[in-house]
Structure formats: structure tokens, C-alpha cells
Amino acid sequence: MFQKFLGMVLFILGTYLLGKNLVITTSYIRPVWGDALAVVALVSLMVGVISLLFFYSTVGAVGWVFIGIGVVSMLFAGRLMIRPTTIWYFLFSFASLTAGLKLLTTRGRIRF
């Protein structure tokens, strides 16, 4: 039980540290010929999060697919900017994210 709690704390910490250096920008979207890729990204992210939170038992895997489509669309639309960061900050945040995920998904310990 303690390993799952520690895994959740590390996963949330890593996600927060990686996510606080991401900036999502928006602009005015024209209604007819507007920025369709940004709309696809936002709608697919919303559908993915809603399906993961409310309908996980029935369509959980589809939610992850929608989130993946949203992230890729956001990258292609050019609306996702990554702030400069040090390699040590990135290493710490990514290591805590993956260690937390490892503790959440397995019963074993983290082997470095």
C-alpha cells in the first residue's frame, strides 16, 4: 500500500515538474476556415480526459488514444512551447515520473 502511495506521489510530482515548463498558446480561431488542427487537439484532449475519468471501464484505452492524438496535434499545430530548462531538472522530473509509474504498475521495487 505504501509503495502505491509513494508511486502516486512521485508520478504526480514528475508530471507537475515536466508540465510546468509547457506553455500552450491560443489565438483567435476563425469560425469557417480557422485553425482546424488546434480545434482537433483541444477537442480530442477533452474527449480523452472525459473518457478516462468517467468511462474508464468501458472505453479506457480509447481515452489514451484521444489524448495521444491531442498531444500530437498540439505539437503539429505549433501551439505547444517548451521553456528552456536544465538537464538536471529534466532528469529529476522524468526520473520521478517513471519511478512513480513503475511503483504504480508493478509490485516490485525500483531497480536502477
Side-chain angles (χ1 to χ4, degrees):
M1 184 68 181
F2 178 71
Q3 288 179 346
K4 298 286 184 185
F5 178 71
L6 182 63
M8 182 62 77
V9 168
L10 285 174
F11 182 73
I12 290 173
L13 176 70
T15 304
Y16 170 73
L17 291 175
L18 281 177
K20 79 177 206 178
N21 285 330
L22 296 176
V23 178
I24 300 173
T25 62
T26 58
S27 63
Y28 176 72
I29 298 175
R30 293 174 293 278
V32 177
W33 63 88
D35 199 357
L37 204 51
V39 172
V40 166
L42 290 177
V43 169
S44 63
L45 281 173
M46 289 188 307
V47 167
V49 167
I50 288 171
S51 66
L52 282 177
L53 289 177
F54 297 110
F55 308 110
Y56 185 74
S57 61
T58 57
V59 289
V62 177
W64 288 112
V65 170
F66 275 113
I67 288 177
I69 290 171
V71 168
V72 169
S73 298
M74 193 70 74
L75 288 172
F76 282 141
R79 303 285 186 220
L80 184 68
M81 298 184 322
I82 301 171
R83 291 184 188 146
T85 184
T86 63
I87 192 71
W88 295 112
Y89 182 86
F90 179 77
L91 181 69
F92 174 72
S93 59
F94 192 70
S96 65
L97 178 88
T98 54
L101 190 61
K102 175 79 172 173
L103 283 175
L104 281 174
T105 58
T106 62
R107 286 193 228 172
R109 46 188 140 135
I110 302 170
R111 296 182 183 147
F112 289 105

